[in-house]
Amino acid sequence: MRAYDAAAGRKGLPMSPLEMDEFVKLLADGVADRLAEMPLLVNKDKLAQLFAVSVATIGRLKAAGKLPTVRVGRRVLFDPAACIAALSSNNEEGAS
């Protein structure tokens, strides 16, 4: 992987293993922070936004039984990670 280090003025030089480890740790920490900020359960509007599809598409996938849901009182909520896993397994089954 090539990187640009503005402080050192190194353009296009490969990262050392130590620099790569630091970069990976920073990236992982950033992703973990963003995931920690996400709610565990979302409504269909937020799920549609996360998946970059229409709310109607989420409704069709739910009606077809392709998205797992969690009921909390009258509310129907979705676990984004579980929905990704379900859609991935649906695609794998359809490909075989």
Side-chain angles (χ1 to χ4, degrees):
M1 173 181 250
R2 297 192 180 273
Y4 178 73
D5 184 349
R10 300 181 321 179
K11 185 174 183 179
L13 296 177
M15 288 184 179
S16 72
L18 182 59
E19 290 171 322
M20 182 62 80
D21 284 345
E22 289 177 25
F23 174 75
V24 169
K25 286 177 187 173
L26 285 172
L27 184 62
D29 288 345
V31 170
D33 289 345
R34 291 185 105 180
L35 288 175
E37 293 171 4
M38 286 183 62
L40 296 178
L41 298 174
V42 297
N43 63 19
K44 68 179 175 182
D45 294 334
K46 182 65 176 175
L47 188 69
Q49 182 183 9
L50 289 171
F51 285 9
V53 298
S54 70
V55 175
T57 297
I58 297 299
R60 283 191 298 274
L61 289 169
K62 177 187 166 289
K66 294 184 178 186
L67 291 177
T69 60
V70 177
R71 283 189 128 351
V72 179
R74 291 180 156 181
R75 297 179 68 193
V76 177
L77 301 173
F78 302 87
D79 176 351
C83 290
I84 290 169
L87 292 173
S88 294
S89 68
N90 286 337
N91 282 339
E92 290 172 5
E93 290 171 6
S96 16

